[in-house]
Amino acid sequence: MGEEDGVFIAVVVVLLLVVVVVVVVLVVVVVVVVVVVAVVVVVKIVSMQGIRMTIRGKAFVHWSEQAMRGPGESRFKGIRHHSATEEYFDFSQQLLSKVPRDGHKRNEKRVLEAGQYTYPFQFRIPATSPSSFEGQYGFIRYWVKVSIERPWKEDNSVKKFFSVICPVDLNREPTASEPTSNEKEKRLCCLCCVSGPITASVRLAQKGYVPGEPVYVYGDVSNLSRRQIGSTSVELLMTTTFHTPTKTRTVTQTVARMHHGSLRSGGSASWDGDRLVLPPLPPSYMIGCSIMTIKYTLELRVFPTGPAFELSIPLEILVGTVPIHATLDRYLNLQQHQTTHHHHHHHQHHQHQNHYNNSPPPHGPQIHGSGGAGNAAETNGFRRANYGE
């Protein structure tokens, strides 16, 4: 909300994001239109040169490093910056022209009487725009800015961020519906003693998931060593790589976790379909952006007691926005069964039952109208990239 000299800009930007989804033979087409409504409230007569709206999408990566430079005693601590920028669109248009329709005086001012003025506008987001994202060393952001341009004064502006989540269809990923597994073993050194191995394996029924979908984890841990295992855990790791022309930096963070307790020497334990629900996450790869990439790894970790490194068994998984059809069918069948069961026994109940407590439905394409992070879509067609340092 901007306010100055009797002008309130409730601009903005009511952002109405319109999504049309058409599914034909496993193809999902999403049309994303941002509808901007700029509302300017004038409480007294005000003069201006025009009202301009700008809509923009941009990625930016930056970090700095300290290093000692120079010879001998003249060495000093220098700071080196690494950065990269990528522009996806930068569109600007006058909502209220600077020049009267019949005017010949290009610098003539416009006068608005007291009242409320509404300026609707639509913009189609290019299909090549990548997912919105906020990371430790970079971001992808989309925003709308409306400015009142005034002669001899600073412009009065309001800016509104929005997020777009466009589909990454797991049905178009060849390996997303296939099972995946991995196993490893580790031998611990116990001075001169011979110690058996710790072996572990982890399995998933499929490789691709969407936020809100449960991941059912199967695994086995066998402890033939002389030491006790303190605990085991399953962690979902998100690894983001930030690229600049001079250097690359990677950040890994744990976004979900569950754990089991200790395991004695000679014992074994299993993960028998333990349920880990995917939190809200941007899709894998960061399609359409060349300066940031994202990948996800589900990792079974075994922590022996004493001085030893843990045993880690990783499985790469894919995070999308459009669920695998078989997964969606199973979910819908479950809901239909629960609904039928509920109606059958309805006379025994006096309160409405919530049948969505077992698991949230897999999320499809989403668009968010203010702040936050989201996603958008396919390879880079038209884009201009600027790298700087």
Side-chain angles (χ1 to χ4, degrees):
M1 177 79 71
E3 174 188 349
E4 192 171 336
D5 295 344
V7 181
F8 297 79
I9 313 180
V11 201
V12 228
V13 208
V14 182
L15 276 173
L16 305 176
L17 300 151
V18 181
V19 183
V20 180
V21 182
V22 182
V23 181
V24 182
V25 195
L26 306 185
V27 176
V28 179
V29 179
V30 178
V31 179
V32 183
V33 178
V34 181
V35 180
V36 181
V37 180
V39 180
V40 179
V41 180
V42 180
V43 296
K44 63 181 181 181
I45 296 177
V46 64
S47 62
M48 64 184 68
Q49 288 184 320
I51 300 175
R52 177 174 292 276
M53 188 221 62
T54 302
I55 183 166
R56 193 175 178 191
K58 172 186 176 181
F60 180 67
V61 166
H62 174 264
W63 71 88
S64 59
E65 298 174 333
Q66 290 188 348
M68 298 303 296
R69 297 182 179 180
E73 295 181 358
S74 62
R75 287 174 65 80
F76 64 96
K77 185 179 290 186
I79 299 178
R80 183 178 178 84
H81 294 273
H82 304 275
S83 66
T85 302
E86 209 165 63
E87 294 274 359
Y88 304 111
F89 52 84
D90 187 358
F91 180 81
S92 183
Q93 179 169 314
Q94 284 285 348
L95 300 179
L96 178 65
S97 174
K98 293 181 180 180
V99 184
R101 292 181 180 178
D102 58 347
H104 300 288
K105 299 178 181 179
R106 184 162 295 277
N107 295 323
E108 185 170 338
K109 295 179 290 188
R110 305 294 300 268
V111 175
L112 289 185
E113 302 287 341
Q116 177 173 306
Y117 300 84
T118 301
Y119 302 94
F121 180 82
Q122 291 189 8
F123 179 79
R124 185 181 298 269
I125 297 176
T128 54
S129 304
S131 307
S132 300
F133 178 69
E134 296 289 331
Q136 185 173 347
Y137 298 110
F139 61 77
I140 301 173
R141 293 176 185 165
Y142 299 93
W143 67 89
V144 175
K145 181 179 179 181
V146 177
S147 302
I148 293 180
E149 300 170 322
R150 301 176 301 164
W152 310 111
K153 291 184 180 180
E154 184 180 353
D155 292 347
N156 192 9
S157 302
V158 172
K159 192 176 186 180
K160 182 82 168 182
F161 290 91
F162 63 93
S163 302
V164 180
I165 303 179
C166 288
V168 173
D169 189 350
L170 294 176
N171 299 283
R172 304 178 73 175
E173 295 286 341
T175 63
S177 60
E178 296 178 357
T180 181
S181 63
N182 194 8
E183 60 180 293
K184 285 186 178 182
E185 72 170 41
K186 181 182 183 70
R187 291 183 180 271
L188 304 180
C189 295
C190 296
L191 298 178
C192 297
C193 301
V194 177
S195 179
I198 296 174
T199 60
S201 64
V202 60
R203 306 176 300 279
L204 300 177
Q206 64 194 54
K207 188 176 179 180
Y209 301 87
V210 297
E213 183 177 353
V215 179
Y216 296 100
V217 180
Y218 297 86
D220 297 292
V221 179
S222 175
N223 182 16
L224 299 181
S225 74
R226 294 175 178 270
R227 292 195 204 166
Q228 176 176 303
I229 291 174
S231 66
T232 60
S233 69
V234 168
E235 300 182 9
L236 178 60
L237 307 177
M238 173 180 169
T239 300
T240 308
T241 304
F242 303 91
H243 304 279
T244 73
T246 55
K247 201 164 185 178
T248 293
R249 175 166 280 194
T250 298
V251 176
T252 298
Q253 61 190 102
T254 301
V255 294
R257 183 183 182 190
M258 56 185 178
H259 70 276
H260 284 185
S262 61
L263 180 61
R264 63 177 176 79
S265 173
S268 61
S270 296
W271 293 74
D272 192 18
D274 292 54
R275 187 171 177 267
L276 181 72
V277 177
L278 251 64
L281 295 169
S284 297
Y285 306 136
M286 196 59 71
I287 296 171
C289 178
S290 64
I291 62 176
M292 278 175 272
T293 56
I294 292 177
K295 78 170 187 176
Y296 295 95
T297 306
L298 187 124
E299 198 166 86
L300 173 61
R301 306 179 72 183
V302 180
F303 300 93
T305 56
F309 294 106
E310 72 269 15
L311 172 62
S312 298
I313 304 93
L315 283 179
E316 185 175 354
I317 68 168
L318 300 176
V319 175
T321 60
V322 180
I324 296 169
H325 288 213
T327 301
L328 186 58
D329 290 343
R330 284 196 301 270
Y331 177 81
L332 294 176
N333 288 338
L334 174 64
Q335 297 309 313
Q336 185 177 15
H337 173 75
Q338 289 181 336
T339 302
T340 303
H341 180 76
H342 169 71
H343 289 323
H344 180 71
H345 297 281
H346 183 69
H347 64 280
Q348 299 177 1
H349 299 273
H350 301 287
Q351 293 183 336
H352 175 70
Q353 301 290 320
N354 181 2
H355 298 293
Y356 294 88
N357 291 334
N358 289 329
S359 62
H363 293 185
Q366 297 183 35
I367 306 264
H368 300 289
S370 63
N375 312 74
E378 278 182 351
T379 55
N380 49 352
F382 50 91
R383 170 203 298 148
R384 55 182 194 275
N386 299 307
Y387 292 96
E389 198 181 330

